[in-house]
Each structure stands twice: as C-alpha cells, then as structure tokens.
Amino acid sequence: MRFTNSLEFNTFTELRFMFRKVLIANRGEIALRIISACKEMGIRTVAIYSEADRNSLHVRFADEAICIGPPRSADSYLNVPAVISAAEIADVDAIHPGYGLLSENANFAEVCRASNIKFIGPPPEVTRLMGEKEKARMSMKKAKVPILPGSEGVIQSEEEALDWARQIGYPVILKASAGGGGRGMRVVRSPEELPNFFRAARTEAQNAFGNGDLYMEKFIERPRHIEFQVLADEHGNVMSLGERECSIQRRHQKLIEESPSLQVTPKMREEIGATLKRCLETIGYMNAGTVEFLMDEDGKLYFIEMNTRIQVEHPVTELVTGVDLVKAQFRIAAGEKLSEIVTRPIEMRGHAIECRINAEHPEKFTPSAGKISVFNLPGGNGVRVDTAQYAEGIVPPYYDSLIAKLIVHGTSRAEAVARMERALSMFVVEGIHTTIPLHQRIFADEDFRVGAFDTKFMERFFEREKLRRESAQ
Amino acid sequence: MRFTNSLEFNTFTELRFMFRKVLIANRGEIALRIISACKEMGIRTVAIYSEADRNSLHVRFADEAICIGPPRSADSYLNVPAVISAAEIADVDAIHPGYGLLSENANFAEVCRASNIKFIGPPPEVTRLMGEKEKARMSMKKAKVPILPGSEGVIQSEEEALDWARQIGYPVILKASAGGGGRGMRVVRSPEELPNFFRAARTEAQNAFGNGDLYMEKFIERPRHIEFQVLADEHGNVMSLGERECSIQRRHQKLIEESPSLQVTPKMREEIGATLKRCLETIGYMNAGTVEFLMDEDGKLYFIEMNTRIQVEHPVTELVTGVDLVKAQFRIAAGEKLSEIVTRPIEMRGHAIECRINAEHPEKFTPSAGKISVFNLPGGNGVRVDTAQYAEGIVPPYYDSLIAKLIVHGTSRAEAVARMERALSMFVVEGIHTTIPLHQRIFADEDFRVGAFDTKFMERFFEREKLRRESAQ
Amino acid sequence: MNAGQLQSLKDLIEFLKQQEVGEFELEQEGLKVRLSFAGQGRSAGNNVDLGQLSHLLQYAPAASPAAVAAPAHLSNVSAGPSAVELSTAGEEAGLHIIKSPIVGTFYEASAPGAEPYIKVGDQVESGQVVCIVEAMKLMNEIESDVAGEVVKRMVASGQPVEYGQPLFAVRRR
Amino acid sequence: MNAGQLQSLKDLIEFLKQQEVGEFELEQEGLKVRLSFAGQGRSAGNNVDLGQLSHLLQYAPAASPAAVAAPAHLSNVSAGPSAVELSTAGEEAGLHIIKSPIVGTFYEASAPGAEPYIKVGDQVESGQVVCIVEAMKLMNEIESDVAGEVVKRMVASGQPVEYGQPLFAVRRR
C-alpha cells in the first residue's frame, strides 16, 4: 500500500499576494464558476448584470452586484465603458472575463491595464497576436509546432498549383482568398484533376467575390478536433495539462468534450506538450490558454488556432488532472509561479466527459427560452454539474443557450460513458426544451461508444437517424 | 511531465459474471446511490417502498418498484417476509441492503441465502460474530489489533481493582456490568482515589440495578472517533482503504466526516492497514466493512467495533482513493478478486469532507418533516451531492432525517474546508428546517478549522455558543 | 362512519387529488360528500396550481424503455403508483376494493385446477376467503373485509401483487 | 360526538389538509360536516401564484454578513434588485422617475462647491441637465426626460449608481 503523507495536503498555503476584490465580466454558469473559485480563495466578488439577468444566480451569490445596462449584450456585457465604470465604482483589483463576451478583446484588456485593473488573462499584445490567425500560424510554425500545410500567399497559375500540391501532398483543397461559404472551393485528390478544378474554382471565386485569387491547404477528410490546455505564469514558465477531444460538434458548436483523447498516445502528448511549452515560452504567453489542432486520419496533429481564455470545456481537464484551472488563473495573475500552483507532475487520471446542456429543441435546435418549471440535477459519485439555472429560473432569449454542463469522471472511458448515461437519465428539466434527449441518443450510438468519430460525426449521425425514421414509416 | 498510458483507462473491462437484477432493500439517498451504481454496471434494479415513499426518487429511477407495506419501517423496510417476497416475485439475483434497516441483520442474510438470493455483504456468520461486541473484541485482540484495555470479567475487590488499574494505566473508568446511563460509573485518576470510588460505584450500581458488579476500562478523556474502510473479496484477500475521521458527533450521531485524518500518520495508516488485513483474512471477512477505533490524546488507536456494511460516510473514502465502494461491493459479491477491482495501489489524494444535511431544526434538533418547496443544489468543481430529495418532495416523518450528503474534495484540507463553506452557502432548502446553518457555524469555528477536535467537540461548541448568546444579551 | 369507510374515503380523496380534480360531489344511499381542493377558487376556472403537484413525478423517467422490456408478468408491479391506478381503473362510485395486504403471488384457487374461491357475480360475506397470496412459500388466505357482490377481479391467477394492490371490486350490500 | 368519533374527525381533517383540500362537506346518517381551510377564498381574489415568484430569490443569501461589511458607499449598489426597490420606494402615483442611463458616480453639481444643477422644489424642463454621472473619468451630463417639479433626490452627491438607478422623482406638469 502506498500512502502519500497526509500532512502534505494539510498545510494552509500562505499566499504572498491575492486579489481583494474581483469583478466578473460575464454571466451564466461561468460567472458562477468564477464566483465559486473566488469564494474558496477568500476573494470578494462583484457581479455585473443586464436588466434581463436581475434574478440570475451569479447576481444572487456574488458579494455585490451592479446592473450595467439593458438586456442586449452590446449594451451591457459587451459595453466596455459600462463594465470598466462598474469596476471603478466597486473599486476592484481585477476583472475575470470568463469565456466569450470580452474575454478575447485585446482592447478591453488594454483599457483594464490603463485603469489599473488586473485583467485575468494574457496581456493584450499576446491576445492580439493570437487573434490574427496568419501571424499565430507563423509564430507556431517558427517554434516547430506542426501547422496545416498550405501555399504561401496567392497561387498564380496551374503550374504553381501543381507544385504546391506536390509539396503538400494530396488531397488538397483550393480556397478563395476573398471567399467563404464553400464557393470557389474544390477538393483535389490527384494531379490529373487539378487543372480543371483550378480553373473552375477561379471562375467561381471571380463570379462570387469579384476576385479570383486562390490558395491551397492540405485537405483532411475526417478531421478530429483536439486541443491542448496550457497554463503559463508571469515568470516565463509554461506547462501543458494534456488534451481534450472535442470532435462531437454540430455546426462548429461543440456538444461533447472528453479527456484524454483515445487517439493521443502518451508519447504524442509528451511531445506536443514539450513543443507547446517551448513555443509559448518564446511568445511570452501568460495565464490559461488552449491550443487547437486538427488531427488527420493518420493521427497527425496540425495547429489551427489558440484561444487565449478559459474554455467552456475546462472541467474535463480539471477532473483528470486535479488542477483547478480557474483558481490557477487567479494565482498566476497574482504573480505566483507555476511550480507553487501545480506541485505534482501532471498525471491524467481516469476519463472525463462533458455534455453541454443547451436550451434548444432537441431536433430542430431552435433556442428554447422561457421559464424552467422543474430542474432536478443528477448527483452522486463522479458527477459534476456546472450551472446557474434553477427551478423557477428564466432562460432569457438574449444570450447563448448553454444552461448547464454535465461532467462525469470515471476510471475508464467505459465507466465515464455509463456514468454519463446514468446521469443524463436523472437530469430532469421541464418548462423548456434541452439537448438532454439528443445526448442520450448520441451516447447510445455504437460509433460514439467505441470512440470512432471525427468532426463529421454529427452529420452522419443525423443522416442515420433520418434513414431509420424513414425506414420505420 | 508524467502521463499514465491513456489506453489503460480505455479498455472495457469484461466481467466474467455480473448480477442481472438486484433488489435494493433500502430507501432515500443510499437507495439512489445503489441504483446509480447498478445503472452504470448494466444491472437491472428493483426498488421496494412503503406507502409513504410512493413518490420517492428511488422508486422513480429504479427499473421496477414494488410497494411492500405501510409507512412504519417495521411493517415495510424491516419486514423480512415482505422484502424476500418482493425479491422472489421480481426474480432478482441479489439484494443490496444499504446501511441501517436490514443491513446488519444476520437472520435476513440467512433467509437470503436460503432463498438462493445473494446478499451483498459478508456471510451471516461473520455479521453475527461482529455483532457480538465481546466476541468481536476478542477476535481482534487475538489478531493483535489494539483494543481498549480493561478488566476481564467482574472485579471482586478493591485489591483486584487496584491491580487492574495498575495494569491498564490511569485514568481508568469503573462501570456497572448491569448498568448504563452514567450510574455506577466513576473515572479514577490515581490509586489514592480508587478505594473510595470503588465502594461508591458499587453501592450506586447496587441501588440502581440491584447488582453491584463492576468492571474497569481505560478512560480516554477526549477520544477521537477514527474508522478504517476495508474491502475483502471472496478469495481471502483483504485491503484497507485508509481512515475516516468522524469525531464531529452530536449524541453519537455523526455530523461531519473527513478523510484522511490529520492525526493518522502514513506509518500508522500502513501499520493499522496491515494488521487489519491479517486479522480480517483470518476471520474470513467478506465485502465492504468499517473498523471503528477510538484514538486517545497520544494518538493511540483502540478497536471498538466493526460495521459489516457500507457506511453513510463512504463517499469521503471514494473521493480520496478513487475507488467506487458500492461498485466494488457488487463486483466482490459477483466473485471478482480485489486485484481485478482495485488495479492500482491505494493512494490517498487530497482531502474530502462530508456534511450530513438532516431535516432538523438547527438549534432544537427536532425532526422537520414536511414538503420541500425550494431545493437548490450546489455544484461545480470538487462538489458531490448524494440525495434523493427534490423540490416539491416530501420528507416523511417515519424514517431517519438525513435528506442529503454534501461532500467536497480539495487538494488540501484548507481547500476542502473553503469549498464546503462555499457549497453550504449555495445549498438552498426551503419548506423544512435543515442542519445547513449548523454546519456553517461549525465551519466558522476556529478549533474545527485547525482540526483540533474530538468526540466532545460538539458539547463544547454548543456551550461556547450559549455563552456567546448570553454575553450578547 | 366506520374505519373501512373512512379508509375508502381517504383513498378516494387521494385519487381525486392525483387526477387533479378541482371539485367533487357524491350522493349515495344516505351519504353525501362534497369537496374542492385548495387553489380551486370558484371563479378561478382552470387556475390549477401546478406547484401543488409534483412536476417531477409527472415526468416519464428515462428508464421507461427498460421498464417496457420487463417481463410481462411484472408489468403491473413495475410502475410506482400502479396500485392506485389499478384501484381507480376498477373503481366506480360505491364499489369497495379488496386489496392485497402483502407482497406475493396471487392465486384464485387453493390448488391448480381447483374451483376459484370466488367469481364475478358471486356474493361474498365479510371474512370469507377470496383468494390466496403466496409469499415465501406460504399460502396466505385473503379474506373479504365486506359483504356484497363481486363485480370485478383485477388480477390474473399466478400474477405477482404488491402491498395494497387491488384484487377485487365488491358492491357492498 | 364521542372521543373515538372526534379522533376520527381530527384524522380526517389532518388528512384533508395534507391533501390540500380547500373545501369539504360530508353528510351521513345524521352527521353533517362542512369545512374550508383558511386562505381559500371563494373568489380568486388574493390567489397569488407563488410559482410566478422565484422562491429561491426570496432567499437571503448566506453571503449577507459579507454584504453588510461592504463599504457603506456601495450599499445601494450591492444588492441585485436594489434599483427596483429604490424605484418603488420613491415612487408614488403620478411621479416620474429620472433614472441613470449609465453606471458611474453621481454628482449634483458641475464642480465641488458649485450650485447643484437642481434642487427639490425646482421646476425642470425636458432636456435640462439635472446632474452628472462620471464614468471612466468622463463627466456625463444627465438630462431630464420630462418637465415638472423636482419632488425628491434619491442619491447623494459622490455616490456610485448602477444602470437604471432612480436619481430624481419629478411631478409632471
């Protein structure tokens, strides 16, 4: 039997400096998540809210709350002068932006700095660098982080296109520089196809956007979305906390996330972690961040972008690593070193899965605002719920539809899957529609259960459901 | 960075044999806890219920439910023929008794055996042995488990008493063999005091019980209640899962439990674990069990009794060891070996604390049955709630008052304490009284916060509160 | 009003509540009952206070597919409030319900192939054996608690029954 | 009525209450009982739908001791629904409330020591500057949106105000 010295766990850590009072520039479950972390750290909290959120739990459970505007986000949660003004009258030391809203707005971080308020996140320069996708790609490439191979700049001719395609390797995809929405786009699988497709794509792009410029990227047939969580202190130290698998998406909105990924071997995890550490230390990254990759069918990872904030799906990493990421954000911002915050080597323990419970119709995906009449949360071993909703609570129509995150932890993926099914069956919401039934159907899917999926999974899933419905008629 | 091979966590364990259908002979949160474990293991569940529990969640979330009698426990949950009859008509393979009720009734376990239904727990012979306190003490003593030193049998004279006291060591306590309630009881701190006290106690016992027989035990001034969780398979293997500290009690009812104990060093934990393993392997113990000790002011442990069932406070051990004890009970009963169930060495990770939320008036402790109008559960990182209650649910007056267990896990005791305070502040119950405000007061107590307590803590706590109230007037 | 009648009245009220009845009147042979539930004002119309009922328990549990897959002979036992439902299914004004006092297996006769203790249309006396409920290999004779005409048998021979499950409906004499 | 009957009646009443019965009548063999529970008016009247209010939000949070310890100058800002409360506190029939359109610090005058823009008893015109709310070092002049007599000032100079917080009550002309 091996027992860790219990005393190790029982010393009150003396913090050299900690914030006295923090404003949470967000709403919903993430605001409550941050308030919870603050309560546990002895930091006073100030909630801000729009008129539509007067009765929200983040308002109720914060020490202070300030109404900053009417319901529309643009007039309240995204209204920088209103947020800063609230921070000033409440006399806070710091602002935590949560995710979405102002969290990746470098200008906001700059105003915070000018107002002498600590912004819990990376400095504006880093946010800005990562916000410019091409610059971010190049920074990563320089540090030997694998990026999705592609042409450099506009392709002038068929010959040049053939040349790039040979370097990149088939299949490749031609894209309109000016474009979007599939127009001027062609997947090319062999050199024979290329000339015709090149001409067709150029004409289409010219007609659609008045600009025929094309560029080329490696085409990944069935990519997985895999992202790495990192923490970086203000003393130049970066640490990777392993990956999350986020391939279950509907229209680029993640539905289910898990950690670890079945596809990432310990060797890959260690290599990518080491590369990211090197790269982000060079860039001077600070606080929490997420590096997003696509994984091709051969298990190779390609960098796509970096999110310079806490993610919705951060709890799966918290459950497998045992690191409280939101507390770590505060401690980093307060000047602590990573080695003081994470005192043991990161080890991924067991398997965690998160389901996003949205207020949406489970088939039509139309938002389902309204009043919740019944709200019975699942509990018990290995179940975590992050929510700011409650029975008699209102889901306002102005904001995103996430009403709860249901997260489970098990010793194996099989146990986590079974636990999630159990928890979903005990999660009762009435008065509005939610994605709970959709999650139950996904968890019954054989491909999902064995982990055979990619970002196109949901398309195939809905197709299969449609076929089954039709054949049943 | 150290990563465990993720594949290790992702193999579906193939069970050689598992129960097809199980009856849960209990109610409330523990019934739901067991149903949850069954759902996760693919075992069909049968709930039994009294007429008062028709609308309970254990009835709602089981696959089948059978009403077995009127509200009084004696006529329903404790009615062996009704329970067995329900098991027979539902055609189950096994019965899980939970805690309390029939869980330590050896006759019930025997009837199960005669009816060809597996009882999830130790065999009746072992339950019976442990149920007879003196036999259990002797079995433990034989295996070198330290027991509370005492005289053997009745003390005939003052000389004999002096002799025993010298062997045991002062202070000692004289107790009436026939007695209880403090009469015929004397604490003796020196040989000078002994003769007078012996005569006084004998007279008192004679007058009170018509029997002046006395015996003697070591007296512990301020004992702590510390218990060890064990698992034993049906192949002769026993394993200790470390201790729980349960000294915060009111009238012998535990209020708060935690693991690990601040008082148990890794060396003690290992030594006691090894001794228990040897002892329980000799006895032929099976399934989950708890060995209760008193700890004296010098940190020495003395065996008091063994509970041959799952305990109310089992979740704190689950959180620090990562072992699902209820699932382990099923797997053991299905014939699996401990080495298959617990595949890594037991390591105590972080610190877990449980608060029992009872439906009681927080000052008067009178049971508070009735209808719950508001029930807002805390959630988020490190918070677990085990409950079978819900908004609009009824707390019937017939059963024990436990309505929820709030359990937190943190990297240190300090974090766990802060997390519990946070979670208690977000746990909102209306319509009935609960012990939530009492827990909040205990968590604010300095002695509790630093871990300076024993089983007399609550007496002193109430005394301090009373003094404060009086001085405030 | 005797204990049996009082119990019947209570059962009826529970049922009315469950069925979300607002107002109720009954007149029969010298008995007259009228009641309305709280929150059911005269003019309030359909102002049903749903808060009074448990929303949660109206919810069909996710477990239902499994329940459907239950062995047919247990289907009556598998749903929590089934006894009440059955009770009401067979209940008409003035009928008395003989319920099972124990959990077990219902038999209409003392042995396979033997005559049933009672049949629909029979007259029963208070104290007369009406069936057997087997529990733990013991054959328990169940007696009628009223005298009257057997109007309905609610359980098939060999079927498991739970505590309080309706067995027969009897029109009281 | 003997003791046994009385007890039965009490049991019945307890049961009716538990079942949330509003009104009840029973007539049988010379016995007649009629009762209605308190708070069950005939007309819907004060039949407040409590479900519409959030029970949860009526709950005084555990955080209140901390809130009490808040700096006094923030006490108006610290409670969520404070604006509404203040609004109603100062509101009487016919009064118009000028509310703060932004979060910031309220000043009654353009500079320390200067005359206040308006005082209680003054007549204001629509569009007239009534105070300043400072936000992010900017002095925002707040204009009256009605014409009338200033009846009340709800905020002290130098006090922080949230969005929508009542500043003045004006009796409209």
Side-chain angles (χ1 to χ4, degrees), chain B residues 204-220:
Chain B
E204 205 171 282
Q206 182 66 46
N207 292 340
F209 314 112
N211 175 347
D213 287 353
L214 299 178
Y215 68 101
M216 185 187 286
E217 263 180 1
K218 171 116 191 121
F219 178 69
I220 302 179

Side-chain angles (χ1 to χ4, degrees), chain B residues 27-232:
Chain B
R27 61 179 301 284
E29 68 84 20
I30 192 66
L32 207 57
R33 166 77 187 88
I34 298 162
I35 289 170
S36 295
C38 289
K39 277 181 183 281
E40 294 175 16
M41 299 178 94
I43 303 171
R44 244 180 114 66
T45 49
V46 180
I48 56 172
Y49 63 99
S50 76
E51 285 183 315
D53 278 340
R54 198 175 286 289
N55 290 339
S56 295
L57 288 195
H58 78 283
V59 173
R60 184 54 42 185
F61 287 125
D63 295 310
E64 298 170 22
I66 300 175
C67 181
I68 59 159
R72 280 194 347 127
S73 296
D75 301 329
S76 49
Y77 299 108
L78 289 171
N79 179 346
V80 173
V83 174
I84 295 290
S85 204
E88 283 180 342
I89 65 169
D91 190 23
V92 301
D93 310 318
I95 292 181
H96 196 305
Y99 53 67
L101 298 176
L102 297 171
S103 62
E104 292 182 289
N105 181 326
N107 296 335
F108 177 67
E110 231 152 39
V111 178
C112 287
R113 185 193 275 167
S115 309
N116 242 330
I117 297 166
K118 180 80 181 182
F119 174 83
I120 311 286
E125 298 74 25
V126 174
T127 302
R128 203 161 274 140
L129 171 69
M130 289 301 166
E132 295 177 31
K133 304 300 168 203
E134 196 53 28
K135 274 199 197 163
R137 259 168 70 95
M138 289 308 118
S139 304
M140 290 288 167
K141 194 179 177 185
K142 223 163 64 187
K144 307 258 183 288
V145 179
I147 62 170
L148 202 59
S151 61
E152 274 157 29
V154 174
I155 302 174
Q156 304 295 347
S157 64
E158 288 170 33
E159 292 69 40
E160 207 185 312
L162 281 164
D163 212 49
W164 276 118
R166 194 164 19 81
Q167 282 183 49
I168 294 166
Y170 291 91
V172 296
I173 184 163
L174 289 164
K175 288 181 178 174
S177 297
R183 275 171 309 174
M185 217 176 256
R186 285 293 183 286
V187 176
V188 186
R189 296 179 194 280
S190 71
E192 290 70 40
E193 293 178 346
L194 201 145
N196 276 340
F197 283 4
F198 183 82
R199 282 191 296 271
R202 187 152 61 180
T203 310
E204 205 171 282
Q206 182 66 46
N207 292 340
F209 314 112
N211 175 347
D213 287 353
L214 299 178
Y215 68 101
M216 185 187 286
E217 263 180 1
K218 171 116 191 121
F219 178 69
I220 302 179
E221 210 86 50
R222 294 182 155 204
R224 282 174 177 261
H225 177 117
I226 287 176
E227 59 186 32
F228 277 72
Q229 175 69 52
V230 297
L231 285 177

